[in-house]
Structures are given as structure tokens and as C-alpha cells.
Amino acid sequence: MAKKKCLIFTAIIMVILAGIATAANLDIKHTGPSYVQAGAEVTFNVTVTNDDYKKINLDINVDPLSTLPSSWFDYVILNNNRLVLNAHESKMISFTAKLKNTVPTDENYATYIQFTSPLDSSINVQHGIIMRVVPPEDILDMSVSAPDKVAPGSDYSVQLMLKNNLNTQLKNVKVSVSSDIFSDEKEIMFFALQDRTEDYSFKIGMTAEPRPYDFSIRIFYNDQIIERSTAKFSVSENSDVKEKREETIGFLTKTVTITKTNYGNALVEEKFDIPLTRFQEMFVSYSEEPVSFDAAGAHWTFSLSPDTSKAVSMTVNYRPLGIAGIILLLFVIVLYYWMSRGIYFKKEIFKIKETKEGISEMKILLHIKNNTSKSIKNMTLMDILPRTFEPEKLFGTLNPEKVQKGEKGTRLLWTIPEIVKGEERIIFYQAKSKINLIGSFMLPPALIRYKGTFGKLLTLQSNSGRFSVGESKAGNQKNQ
């Protein structure tokens, strides 16, 4: 019995020693950032080496506490949960963790990776990983170099010297530089512990107000401000007023115009002077009434804001009525030319037959002429007969495509494939009244539709057709 207990004890000691040896023959190292930001995702490369003489099968798991809702981690992920290592073989896995945005800063946070073997229960190794969370303001260091004064129309240069204090890469860092008269925003990337310089150049407008300005620099990472700075500069005053004088002589007219433009960035007061004789005063007119007159002429005074112009003019006109007549004549000529260049469209009615009871037969003519400068295609013509009339089957050279009867009357539709420039078309048809009618009547105007310039659909209406029934007029009679 004592011999049996001794054997059992010896076996336990051998198992313990085997586990310790196995654990000692498993070498685990990791590389990655020591300092991280709250809310940031970090990745560590973990190298596992089998220093033993035999093959090892490993199961790999994360700290189960780090996956709980109460944990300081949003998530922890392994890219590989199982490894097979031959003797003296090394393999690498990656471990990714994301800290919550709410973790307190200036603190250390630890987790671990557990290595076990499904074939050897003595292998049970926990490899610890520690991260220190730094405050947002400690992630970057920034210094600013910029002049304290700039002239309008020149470039204002700003230089930022930035340093990444973390031993990890920073992506999508947003840098914003802004003031009342300029702004810029861009995204940059930092390598671990990188120093970099960012240069900005802003064109100051010629009309920028001469005064002190503030400009601010803000740096965002993960939608949080991690660095900011403010500085002041001033825009100097610049006075630059240019004058342009024009004299225009026409038919018995003379116009003098003075234009002054303030290209500076400050408010200025300017005088305008135009010479004028006593004789010219009887025929003169002004764009604005002068402030004063003297023997030298007319005088004005105006204040000019930056980037503004002011013009005053004087016109001496000896023949206002003659000029007005010429303008009116030119207007009539232009109007006549414009009207003659359109589409001529007219509706005419001719009586054909009239009985004693008042029933009338008539011929309706639709006259179209293309006075435009180009051909018109696919023109649609529409005419409507009131319900007291009906069309006869006698049509001219072009039959209607459709004859539609409705409650209010009959609608006739034609499609004209093309009317070339200067071409005339006369389309007619006959109609008669369905009941006895006496007196004067009016037919509604006809319509044409066609596409004008740029494909715009245009509609043109003819005149109304007037005719009379039962009046003592012999023969065929034409009525508008």
C-alpha cells in the first residue's frame, strides 16, 4: 500500500514538472503601442514560439472579463483562435482591442490572452497586455508660427509644427484653421511618434477691412478636439482710388461721364467735377443732381466704400425731339421686322349656300405662312366647330387626321409634316348648320402648335371667324 501511494505521488510530481516544463518551453512576446487614446482601436502583434522538441496544438482565447458590458473595452478580437507549432517553430497572431470613449484617462488598463492545449491540459498560459490611456490634450503637441500683420492683396502664411506623442499611427486627424476672412480644413495622418509641419497660405482680399482679426486652429481626432490654439493678426489700411473720364459725342449730343472706383480697403470721400458753360446749362441733364454749381461747372461729393464704384454723367442734348423721333422710327422698324418674321395665321369664312329657313353652308379657310428663318416640322393644326354645326366630307388638299365629336362640338386635327421658310399653306373644309340660325355668329379661333427654338412648344391662335345667316346679301360673301 505504501508502495502504491509512492507511485501515485511520483506520478503527480511528474505531471506538474511536465506542465512547468511545457509552459517554460512556450515563449510569447507582443509588440504594439504603450499609450493609447480613449475610444481608440489598437492592434498588437503576438509572436508565439515553441521552444520544445515536440509539436504543440494551442487553443487561444481572450480574457472573458474583457467582453462583459461592464468592461472598459468595446471589443477584443483575435485573428486566429488556434495554432499548431512544430518544434522550435514561431507563428504570429494579431490581437485588436477598442477602449470605450468613457474610460478615465491617465490610467493603465490590462487584459490577457490565454493559451491552452486540447491535447495537454498542463499547458495553460496567460499572456498579459497593458495599455495606458492618455488624455486627449496629450496626444499631440502643437506650436504655431504666423505674422502679426498682413497687407491687403497679399498672402498670409501660417505654419503648424505638430508632434504625435503616441507610439501608434493616427489616421483621419482633421486640422481646421479659420478666421473671419479665411478658412481651411483637411485630414492628415501621423505615424508613431512622428514630427510633421503643415503650411497654410491664405490670400487676403484687397477689400479686407483694416482691423485686428482672430484666427483659431483646432485639431480633431475621433470627433474630439485634442489640440487647439488661437492667435491674432491685423490687416493694414490701403487707399487706392482710380478715376476714369469718358466723353461721348453723338448726333447733336455730348455726354461726359466720370467713374471713380475704390480699390482700397477703407472708406474714402471723393469729389467729382464736370466743366459746364452757361449756354450748355439750357440743354443739360444729369444722372444725379449736383451738390453745387459755379462758373467752373457742376460738382458732386460721394463716400466710396471698399470695392465700390460711383459714376456721374452730364448729357448736353440740343435736339431732344429729333432724337426721340429717330428712336421712335427705329423702334417701329424693328417692331415691324420682328412681327413680320413670325408665323402668319388667319381664319376666313365664306358663305356658300343659304336657304330661306336660314340653314347656311360655309367654307372655312385656314391660312398659314412661315415667315421665320427656318423650316417648321410636325406642326399641329386644330379647329373647333360649335355643336350647332357639322363638317361636310368635302376637304381641300389635306384631310384632317382626326375628327372628334364631343358635347361642345366637333374638333378637327391636321398634322403638317413640314413648312419650309417662306411657304404658305391654305387648308379649307366645308360645314353647315344643323338647325335654323338667323343673325350674326362667331366661330372660335383655330390653334397651331409647333416646336420653336431649343425645342420649346409654342401655341399660336388665329382670329375668330364671324359670319351672318339670314341677312340680305347676295352671292358669296367674305367675313372676318
Side-chain angles (χ1 to χ4, degrees):
M1 185 70 177
K3 186 177 180 181
K4 186 176 182 181
K5 288 183 178 179
C6 183
L7 289 174
I8 294 173
F9 179 75
T10 303
I12 293 173
I13 294 298
M14 289 180 65
V15 169
I16 293 173
L17 291 175
I20 293 172
T22 304
N25 290 331
L26 193 65
D27 183 33
I28 305 171
K29 297 178 181 178
H30 74 266
T31 59
S34 301
Y35 298 93
V36 298
Q37 182 197 5
E41 181 183 89
V42 292
T43 299
F44 297 87
N45 292 321
V46 182
T47 303
V48 184
T49 303
N50 179 12
D51 291 332
D52 206 347
Y53 61 89
K54 61 182 178 180
K55 182 169 69 174
I56 300 177
N57 293 278
L58 294 176
D59 288 337
I60 311 169
N61 294 285
V62 297
D63 177 10
L65 296 179
S66 64
T67 62
L68 296 177
S70 59
S71 168
W72 289 118
F73 294 91
D74 275 336
Y75 54 80
V76 289
I77 302 171
L78 286 169
N79 76 326
N80 196 348
N81 293 96
R82 183 164 295 174
L83 283 180
V84 177
L85 297 175
N86 293 318
H88 303 291
E89 182 182 10
S90 297
K91 288 187 179 180
M92 182 183 292
I93 63 171
S94 66
F95 171 78
T96 301
K98 184 177 187 299
L99 288 160
K100 292 182 178 179
N101 289 321
T102 56
V103 298
T105 57
D106 276 338
E107 297 286 347
N108 291 332
Y109 295 88
T111 185
Y112 65 84
I113 306 171
Q114 186 152 13
F115 296 84
T116 60
S117 174
L119 304 178
D120 188 350
S121 61
S122 66
I123 298 178
N124 189 349
V125 180
Q126 290 183 355
H127 179 76
I129 295 178
I130 299 175
M131 294 161 275
R132 184 167 184 81
V133 178
V134 299
E137 59 271 15
D138 291 344
I139 295 175
L140 287 180
D141 287 337
M142 176 176 66
S143 61
V144 182
S145 175
D148 57 4
K149 196 170 187 179
V150 62
S154 60
D155 292 331
Y156 185 67
S157 299
V158 178
Q159 187 177 73
L160 308 182
M161 283 73 75
L162 305 170
K163 176 177 175 56
N164 178 12
N165 294 322
L166 299 184
N167 188 23
T168 183
Q169 189 180 71
L170 299 179
K171 295 181 179 180
N172 302 321
V173 177
K174 186 184 297 183
V175 182
S176 173
V177 181
S178 62
S179 76
D180 291 343
I181 54 176
F182 59 74
S183 65
D184 189 16
E185 185 175 282
K186 62 181 177 181
E187 289 188 353
I188 60 177
M189 182 186 75
F190 287 89
F191 296 108
L193 302 174
Q194 181 188 7
D195 290 310
R196 66 179 294 167
T197 300
E198 292 294 321
D199 294 308
Y200 296 82
S201 182
F202 303 99
K203 187 73 173 179
I204 305 301
M206 289 294 298
T207 59
E209 184 180 353
R211 63 174 178 85
Y213 292 87
D214 294 323
F215 77 91
S216 65
I217 302 164
R218 294 175 298 166
I219 300 180
F220 299 85
Y221 182 61
N222 289 339
D223 297 324
Q224 186 177 11
I225 295 178
I226 60 173
E227 191 66 57
R228 69 170 71 208
S229 179
T230 59
K232 291 183 178 290
F233 70 98
S234 61
V235 176
S236 59
E237 184 174 319
N238 176 40
S239 298
D240 184 11
V241 179
K242 290 183 171 55
E243 177 181 315
K244 182 181 180 181
R245 183 180 293 262
E246 296 177 296
E247 185 173 307
T248 304
I249 298 177
F251 179 66
L252 299 179
T253 62
K254 177 182 177 182
T255 300
V256 178
T257 302
I258 296 178
T259 303
K260 290 192 177 185
T261 303
N262 182 7
Y263 292 102
N265 62 347
L267 183 70
V268 295
E269 188 173 274
E270 287 293 313
K271 293 183 178 180
F272 295 72
D273 305 303
I274 299 180
L276 185 67
T277 66
R278 295 292 182 184
F279 178 74
Q280 291 173 329
E281 288 182 8
M282 295 184 291
F283 308 97
V284 72
S285 61
Y286 305 98
S287 60
E288 294 189 41
E289 196 65 24
V291 175
S292 62
F293 298 91
D294 56 26
H299 310 282
W300 296 261
T301 302
F302 297 102
S303 295
L304 293 179
S305 299
D307 198 30
T308 59
S309 298
K310 183 65 181 179
V312 294
S313 62
M314 174 199 73
T315 300
V316 180
N317 188 353
Y318 299 104
R319 297 292 300 273
L321 293 180
I323 297 296
I326 293 173
I327 293 174
L328 180 62
L329 178 61
L330 291 174
F331 176 76
V332 171
I333 292 173
V334 171
L335 181 62
Y336 173 79
Y337 175 78
W338 178 79
M339 293 181 66
S340 66
R341 298 295 293 175
I343 300 293
Y344 175 82
F345 186 28
K346 188 174 182 181
K347 184 174 185 177
E348 297 178 297
I349 300 174
F350 296 89
K351 289 192 299 184
I352 297 176
K353 183 178 179 182
E354 182 178 341
T355 66
K356 293 179 180 180
E357 289 79 12
I359 298 175
S360 176
E361 294 185 10
M362 69 190 78
K363 179 185 288 186
I364 300 170
L365 275 71
L366 303 172
H367 186 186
I368 305 171
K369 183 177 180 181
N370 182 5
N371 290 324
T372 67
S373 59
K374 61 181 182 179
S375 296
I376 297 175
K377 296 183 179 181
N378 299 321
M379 177 183 286
T380 301
L381 169 63
M382 181 179 72
D383 197 17
I384 297 177
L385 281 173
R387 61 182 179 179
T388 54
F389 295 88
E390 62 180 3
E392 296 185 329
K393 295 185 179 180
L394 180 60
F395 297 97
T397 57
L398 184 63
N399 291 332
E401 284 190 356
K402 295 181 181 179
V403 178
Q404 301 170 335
K405 293 185 178 182
E407 293 183 0
K408 296 184 178 181
T410 303
R411 185 168 66 173
L412 297 92
L413 296 170
W414 290 266
T415 298
I416 304 173
E418 182 179 13
I419 301 181
V420 299
K421 173 184 175 182
E423 183 182 358
E424 291 186 64
R425 290 286 184 94
I426 296 177
I427 297 172
F428 68 88
Y429 64 95
Q430 290 187 194
K432 65 180 180 179
S433 61
K434 295 191 277 187
I435 59 175
N436 295 340
L437 297 173
I438 302 294
S440 296
F441 298 89
M442 179 185 294
L443 294 182
L447 297 174
I448 57 174
R449 286 193 176 94
Y450 62 96
K451 288 186 178 180
T453 307
F454 307 115
K456 183 178 180 182
L457 187 63
L458 303 176
T459 301
L460 182 63
Q461 181 175 288
S462 73
N463 58 296
S464 301
R466 297 179 181 273
F467 70 98
S468 59
V469 179
E471 296 182 358
S472 58
K473 293 184 180 181
N476 292 343
Q477 180 176 351
K478 178 181 177 182
N479 292 280
Q480 299 290 328

